[in-house]
Amino acid sequence: MNQDLKEIFDQFHTESTFESGAPYGSGHIHDTFLVKTIEKGKDDYILQRLNNRIFKNIPQLQNNIERVTGHLRAKLISKPGADIKRECLNLVYSNEGKSWIIDKYQNYWRMYIFIANHRSYNIVDSPDKAFEGGKAIGKFQAMLSDLDGAPLFETIPGFHDIEKRLETFYDKLNADPLSRAGSVKDETDFVLKRAEEMKVILRLGTKGEIPVRITHNDTKFNNILLDENDKALCVIDLDTVMPGYVHYDFGDAIRTAANMASEDEKDLSQVKMNIDLFRAYSEGYLSETSGTLNNIEKKYLAFAPRLITFTIALRFLTDYLDGDNYFKIHHEHQNLQRARAQFKLVESMEEQYDGMKKIIKKLI
Ligand code: ADP
Ligand code: GN1
Ligand code: MG
């Protein structure tokens, strides 16, 4: 593997020498490696074999990322004291001048400078960290609000479109290729009961009451890096930055920042939304965005975590029915376990919905 990684690394333009490469992080989509280099004091790198079953047009995807990182970098350069190598992702270009390469097996690879001395959390254990996460996403949205040119390419069409996600779920439930439908009857009932009310954000969009903005769309907390003092540092995983509603980012961040159990926690009694973490994230987020969001967008922030947690639970369940073709799994029933934990989290949000609305009302 090291030999292969060295061969790939050498196709990118750097002034460093490959020392070692090893799997890194806990993302569910790409194969990610940390490449260490021999020279002291020089950068290390993140090398990624991209999942082109999921992202069907890698050149367009990379074009989005070039535009987004270029825009963020230009803004940071004009900010005194900014740390350009750590506050935004820096793509490394190939010897041919492209931001990706294709290897002999037709796999696509890309490389970023490794963000040194960052902290990454799958679970958030303090309101201060949640607040910093909220600030990071708020700033990220604000910085991209004036991106010039054509709309960003939709890298996964209908990514958070709950109507489409429900249709796919019903299709897989009917097809039932692995005969798993019988074992998910409770979960199916849970989905059916809530399907209609989940369409509210889409409806507000169609009526023009909330605008389409540039959003990240995958604001899981481990896609927000903090620095060595646990202050907001950099938003990563830019594959799904594209047009969307702010609720998608707010909802996904709360799904992960305010749940003190793992995404796939087996002991469902551990899965709860922590309202203090919800409040802290909301404060951080609104401290950066309250001047730009309209009143309807603000009002529906409290609903967003229910929608996104439901949507992602539905996607885990759909993938389970389909035979685990999308999310990486580490054991046979992991997607079902993820779906169950996320549905439990939806319930916990439902129980605390009045409190969530009150917090948002106070902050806006
Ligand atoms: P996936 O879509 O599979 O989640 P990510 O782009 O999020 O892929 O990368 C996976 C993990 O690699 C991240 O969660 C993070 O821990 C780490 N990572 C990615 N890019 C960088 C970077 N430039 N510097 C440091 N760590 C990174
Ligand atoms: C995936 O790429 P990663 O692991 O940060 C997924 C998200 C899900 C998340 C669930 C492109 O995120 O939509 O919310 O898993 N990303 C994609 O953990 O599908
Ligand atoms: Mg990720």
Side-chain angles (χ1 to χ4, degrees), residues 26-29 54-55 156 159-160 217-218 220 222-223 237 240 252 255 263 312 315-316 326-327:
S26 52
H28 293 344
I29 305 296
I54 291 179
F55 294 102
I156 301 182
F159 190 53
H160 286 306
N217 297 303
D218 191 0
K220 177 152 100 170
N222 67 16
N223 289 328
D237 202 344
T240 51
D252 202 12
R255 176 182 78 85
E263 184 178 62
I312 288 161
R315 289 173 56 201
F316 287 143
Y326 189 98
F327 296 103

Side-chain angles (χ1 to χ4, degrees), residues 15-217:
E15 271 143 34
S16 313
T17 317
F18 181 96
E19 183 177 56
S20 63
Y24 190 80
S26 52
H28 293 344
I29 305 296
H30 303 301
D31 296 323
T32 298
F33 303 90
L34 167 60
V35 171
K36 296 211 166 143
T37 55
I38 292 178
E39 294 81 3
K40 287 241 151 23
K42 287 224 171 135
D43 296 319
D44 290 326
Y45 295 92
I46 284 284
L47 193 52
Q48 292 185 305
R49 180 165 50 213
L50 301 176
N51 187 326
N52 64 336
R53 276 182 305 108
I54 291 179
F55 294 102
K56 302 211 184 300
N57 191 331
I58 301 284
Q60 289 272 34
L61 162 81
Q62 287 299 106
N63 183 258
N64 276 6
I65 297 187
E66 288 171 27
R67 287 178 62 194
V68 167
T69 54
H71 187 79
L72 296 175
R73 190 173 329 104
K75 291 220 158 158
L76 286 173
I77 285 171
S78 61
K79 192 183 111 184
D83 186 347
I84 315 283
K85 277 192 180 169
R86 295 171 75 225
E87 292 181 40
C88 71
L89 279 174
N90 288 267
L91 281 166
V92 180
Y93 285 76
S94 74
N95 296 326
E96 265 96 62
K98 288 209 163 81
S99 69
W100 74 93
I101 63 117
I102 303 178
D103 70 12
K104 54 189 178 220
Y105 309 108
Q106 301 305 307
N107 292 312
Y108 287 80
W109 294 78
R110 78 168 163 226
M111 197 157 87
Y112 289 117
I113 295 178
F114 179 76
I115 297 175
N117 303 319
H118 72 266
R119 291 186 175 175
S120 162
Y121 297 94
N122 290 331
I123 296 180
V124 178
D125 61 4
S126 77
D128 287 347
K129 292 186 190 114
F131 179 88
E132 289 297 317
K135 258 178 70 168
I137 295 302
K139 258 197 196 146
F140 181 84
Q141 287 177 351
M143 283 170 91
L144 287 177
S145 62
D146 59 349
L147 181 77
D148 289 333
L152 290 170
F153 173 70
E154 212 180 346
T155 54
I156 301 182
F159 190 53
H160 286 306
D161 181 330
I162 189 62
E163 287 187 343
K164 252 179 122 166
R165 294 290 184 189
L166 283 162
E167 267 168 39
T168 311
F169 169 69
Y170 300 139
D171 286 350
K172 301 295 176 195
L173 192 66
N174 285 330
D176 196 16
L178 275 81
S179 304
R180 286 176 164 177
S183 65
V184 299
K185 287 215 166 80
D186 289 350
E187 290 74 17
T188 303
D189 285 347
F190 189 99
V191 171
L192 295 177
K193 262 193 204 136
R194 290 158 179 82
E196 265 321 298
E197 69 175 321
M198 290 299 161
K199 297 176 186 168
V200 59
I201 298 292
L202 274 187
R203 302 253 152 82
L204 291 170
T206 312
K207 284 194 276 177
E209 295 191 37
I210 56 173
V212 172
R213 300 183 188 268
I214 296 177
T215 48
H216 182 284
N217 297 303

